[in-house]
Amino acid sequence: MRVLLLGGTGEARALAAALHPDVEVISSLAGRVPDPALPVGQVRIGGFGGVAGLTGWLREHGITAVVDATHPFAAIITAHAAAACAETGLPHLVLARPAWPAGRAVVVRSDTEAAKIVAAQGFSRIFLTTGRSGTAAFRDVDAWFLIRAVTAPDPGTLPVNHQLLLSRGPYEYEAELALLREFKIDALVTKNSGGAMTEAKIKAAETADVPIVMVDRPALPPGVRTVSTVASAVAWLSGLSPK
């Protein structure tokens, strides 16, 4: 068995560790984050060149199964993997961490919709945690933004009034609560990434009675098989192994 593991997440690293060294795993990272946390085993960095490129790569490298453990908002590679596996007939699994409950959050479909709500509600000090690619929609919103991201967004995508906070989780509840109070935040805008590494901001906002605007996850390609835990992904792969 030779598995392509589309990764870049904590779940992907945990799965690679759980399979090593019994299963040959090639972990693929997009290469957008400098100095990424690397999994054990083989690693490739960079894109595949669309569905056709990925299909050819799978055949060329003798891959026998694909596990997509990318970020829940990595919709393009998820769609490409589903199409390539359908083309090649390879077993395909999506390891999708559970989403956060919406709770009192206003759930929207896109960064653009989130920006419209923020502007309409007249929030003035916003904690924006939608990632480096999510800032452009807020560029013309008349408010001050505390923008947290792993890597700095392109300068042309940033709102006029902002402060950048470059950091990588996990984050602790007490620190998140203190941050909201220190910067007098009156709205949190985030994506429903799920997982424990960044959930503390949700709980802190609820405690501080800070309104939350949450961008919902993109839909998965129709018909894909999904699991929500590393253990379930290991069991699925074990079921593919020759007995």
Side-chain angles (χ1 to χ4, degrees):
M1 176 174 289
R2 199 173 202 207
V3 177
L4 173 65
L5 174 54
L6 302 172
T9 61
E11 291 82 5
R13 292 190 293 275
L15 179 55
L19 297 173
H20 183 79
D22 300 318
V23 177
E24 184 181 1
V25 176
I26 303 174
S27 294
S28 178
L29 309 182
R32 296 187 183 128
V33 177
D35 191 27
L38 296 177
V40 297
Q42 300 180 58
V43 177
R44 72 172 300 278
I45 296 178
F48 291 94
V51 175
L54 178 54
T55 299
W57 191 93
L58 293 172
R59 287 173 171 154
E60 179 184 350
H61 290 81
I63 299 300
T64 52
V66 176
V67 178
D68 179 354
T70 55
H71 191 277
F73 284 81
I76 293 176
I77 185 58
T78 293
H80 288 179
C85 288
E87 173 69 20
T88 57
L90 289 177
H92 173 225
L93 182 74
V94 174
L95 171 53
R97 69 177 76 130
W100 295 320
R104 293 177 293 169
V106 176
V107 179
V108 297
R109 293 170 295 178
S110 67
D111 295 328
T112 300
E113 189 176 345
K116 290 179 180 178
I117 287 180
V118 164
Q121 294 295 322
F123 295 123
S124 60
R125 297 183 66 82
I126 299 154
F127 186 24
L128 182 62
T129 65
T130 54
R132 70 183 304 272
S133 63
T135 57
F138 300 86
R139 183 173 49 193
D140 298 324
V141 175
D142 184 17
W144 180 88
F145 292 85
L146 177 63
I147 300 173
R148 185 165 70 190
V150 176
T151 57
D154 295 335
T157 69
L158 293 169
V160 173
N161 299 309
H162 72 272
Q163 179 174 330
L164 277 179
L165 181 58
L166 301 182
S167 68
R168 178 181 292 164
Y171 301 105
E172 300 295 333
Y173 167 78
E174 292 295 341
E176 295 289 72
L177 187 59
L179 183 146
L180 294 176
R181 290 170 173 166
E182 176 187 353
F183 288 96
K184 298 180 173 58
I185 298 298
D186 62 7
L188 166 66
V189 180
T190 188
K191 290 180 175 179
N192 194 340
S193 302
M197 286 187 66
T198 59
E199 187 179 18
K201 64 187 172 187
I202 304 295
K203 296 179 178 179
E206 291 173 345
T207 297
D209 202 25
V210 170
I212 302 169
V213 180
M214 185 181 292
V215 181
D216 203 5
R217 295 179 175 189
L220 291 171
V224 299
R225 182 186 295 270
T226 64
V227 294
S228 59
T229 66
V230 170
S232 296
V234 171
W236 179 80
L237 286 165
S238 179
L240 301 177
S241 300
K243 298 296 188 279

